[in-house]
């Protein structure tokens, strides 16, 4: 069976560029996260942007987001994630390697 070659997280991130806009295109309601038992966003986000805190919350940083939408799909707490695309021309820029 053919497999994709192993690629480190650092190598994966080195293939993209982020033109960060000052407006956060994704926001996370920390109060909602405290009651969340799955913390599905933590394992689902390919950019590792959701970090659990010791008090049951989540720290989130939008700046290196791939805009894949996975976090919004896996989160089962209504209103916890507000998701939009970045304003025009900003956000992730995928590059050929
Ligand atoms: S899955 Fe949703 S509610 Fe749960 S920690 Fe992540 S963002 Fe918060
Ligand atoms: S859209 Fe994708 S890369 Fe961006 S925060 Fe959600 S899961 Fe992570």
């Amino acid at each position: 069976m053919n497999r994709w070659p192993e690629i480190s997280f650092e190598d994966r991130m080195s293939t993209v560029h982020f033109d960060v806009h000052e407006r956060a295109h994704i926001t996370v309601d920390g109060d909602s996260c405290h009651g969340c038992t799955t913390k599905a966003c933590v394992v689902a986000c390919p950019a590792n942007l959701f970090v659990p805190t010791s008090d049951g919350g989540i720290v989130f940083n939008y700046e290196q987001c791939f805009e894949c939408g996975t976090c919004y799909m896996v989160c089962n707490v209504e209103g916890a994630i507000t998701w939009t695309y970045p304003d025009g021309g900003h956000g992730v820029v995928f590059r050929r390697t």
Side-chain angles (χ1 to χ4, degrees):
M1 182 173 67
N2 292 331
R3 291 178 179 272
W4 294 104
E6 293 287 333
I7 180 170
S8 70
F9 180 75
E10 290 74 20
D11 286 344
R12 189 189 316 159
M13 294 302 281
S14 72
T15 66
V16 294
H17 166 75
F18 299 94
D19 184 2
V20 178
H21 193 275
E22 61 189 21
R23 181 187 70 85
H25 65 287
I26 299 173
T27 57
V28 178
D29 175 17
D31 289 342
S32 299
C33 298
H34 278 282
C36 174
T37 55
T38 65
K39 296 290 191 289
C41 57
V42 175
V43 294
C45 175
N48 291 350
L49 298 180
F50 294 81
V51 178
T53 59
S54 58
D55 65 352
I58 286 286
V59 172
F60 172 73
N61 187 335
Y62 73 96
E63 295 182 352
Q64 293 187 313
C65 171
F66 293 143
E67 301 165 33
C68 64
T70 306
C71 55
Y72 192 63
M73 296 297 291
V74 301
C75 179
N76 61 1
V77 177
E78 188 172 349
I81 293 180
T82 301
W83 204 105
T84 61
Y85 282 110
D87 292 352
H90 290 81
V92 67
V93 180
F94 293 98
R95 302 183 305 209
R96 290 183 177 211
T97 55

